[in-house]
Amino acid sequence: KAGVTQTPRYLIKTRGQQVTLSCSPISGHRSVSWYQQTPGQGLQFLFEYFSETQRNKGNFPGRFSGRQFSNSRSEMNVSTLELGDSALYLCASSSPGADKNNEQFFGPGTRLTVL
Amino acid sequence: SQQGEEDPQALSIQEGENATMNCSYKTSINNLQWYRQNSGRGLVHLILIRSNEREKHSGRLRVTLDTSKKSSSLLITASRAADTASYFCAIRRGSYIPTFGRGTSLIVHP
């Protein structure tokens, strides 16, 4: 079974631009979560999607948004980029159902650099 | 904050030695999970331990959980250079969102 894939792997943008990151979960997984990882803040939860609906949301400004498609693929968008948005963005998928113990499988991440 | 906090922040040992890292948290939890992250890569799930469990093993890994002290430890026995990575604990409490600590950076010298 293929793992979680994220595209692109690396991205360089300038302040004020917007960016869209993509995540394809493991086949059959319906839950997709997004995290931002920075050296200073560690791993911060952005949002989780399940069956095309946002199920949970972290404490990030409205510039950060996401969506999930019917095939469970997910995208996140960041508008009006700031220098502080430079980070590794990780996507994780988990198997169907509402089991709180579900293991998350992470993708390799997208390294975003904002200049 | 319900975020787990790993200790120590960094650990440097020789190959063959054991490595122990700890995770403390402040609230009740459903489960606690340990992950490994190699430099610049995604996280790899290692072990999940539920709140009603006290110890779990997986190969050279041993995880303990003490809910009375709100802490967990990850022991890597007979460490190898390939174990060099960052290790994170993630706690789940009442929601589907695991919250992660800042991680322990482990360096195993050959």
Side-chain angles (χ1 to χ4, degrees), chain B residues 42-102:
Chain B
L43 278 70
V44 174
H45 186 268
L46 297 176
I47 290 184
L48 180 152
I49 187 164
R50 294 182 172 80
S51 58
N52 61 352
E53 297 174 316
R54 291 297 167 257
E55 187 171 311
K56 287 190 84 168
H57 296 256
S58 176
R60 294 183 295 110
L61 307 180
R62 173 178 167 250
V63 167
T64 61
L65 178 65
D66 187 335
T67 51
S68 65
K69 294 181 179 177
K70 293 186 169 52
S71 68
S72 172
S73 67
L74 169 66
L75 168 68
I76 304 173
T77 59
S79 63
R80 306 166 181 167
D83 295 328
T84 294
S86 291
Y87 292 82
F88 295 85
C89 67
I91 62 173
R92 275 186 189 267
R93 175 181 180 266
S95 76
Y96 303 108
I97 310 166
T99 53
F100 288 79
R102 296 177 189 273

Side-chain angles (χ1 to χ4, degrees), chain A residues 74-89:
Chain A
S74 177
E75 288 182 347
M76 68 162 281
N77 185 77
V78 187
S79 62
T80 319
L81 284 166
E82 301 177 358
L83 295 179
D85 297 333
S86 295
L88 180 67
Y89 289 87

Side-chain angles (χ1 to χ4, degrees), chain A residues 32-92:
Chain A
V32 174
S33 298
W34 288 90
Y35 295 84
Q36 180 195 67
Q37 186 178 28
T38 58
Q41 298 297 318
L43 266 154
Q44 301 286 312
F45 171 77
L46 281 156
F47 24 66
E48 181 202 11
Y49 286 88
F50 181 82
S51 294
E52 302 179 65
T53 301
Q54 189 179 84
R55 188 158 69 173
N56 287 290
K57 187 177 188 304
N59 189 26
F60 277 81
R63 299 185 297 108
F64 292 81
S65 63
R67 59 179 176 169
Q68 187 179 34
F69 302 95
S70 58
N71 62 357
S72 293
R73 190 177 70 86
S74 177
E75 288 182 347
M76 68 162 281
N77 185 77
V78 187
S79 62
T80 319
L81 284 166
E82 301 177 358
L83 295 179
D85 297 333
S86 295
L88 180 67
Y89 289 87
L90 293 164
C91 164

Side-chain angles (χ1 to χ4, degrees), chain B residues 22-53:
Chain B
N22 303 295
C23 172
S24 60
Y25 55 92
K26 295 181 180 178
T27 63
S28 60
I29 61 172
N30 292 335
N31 65 61
L32 186 147
Q33 303 179 45
W34 284 93
Y35 288 82
R36 183 187 74 229
Q37 183 180 35
N38 290 87
S39 180
R41 303 284 191 91
L43 278 70
V44 174
H45 186 268
L46 297 176
I47 290 184
L48 180 152
I49 187 164
R50 294 182 172 80
S51 58
N52 61 352
E53 297 174 316

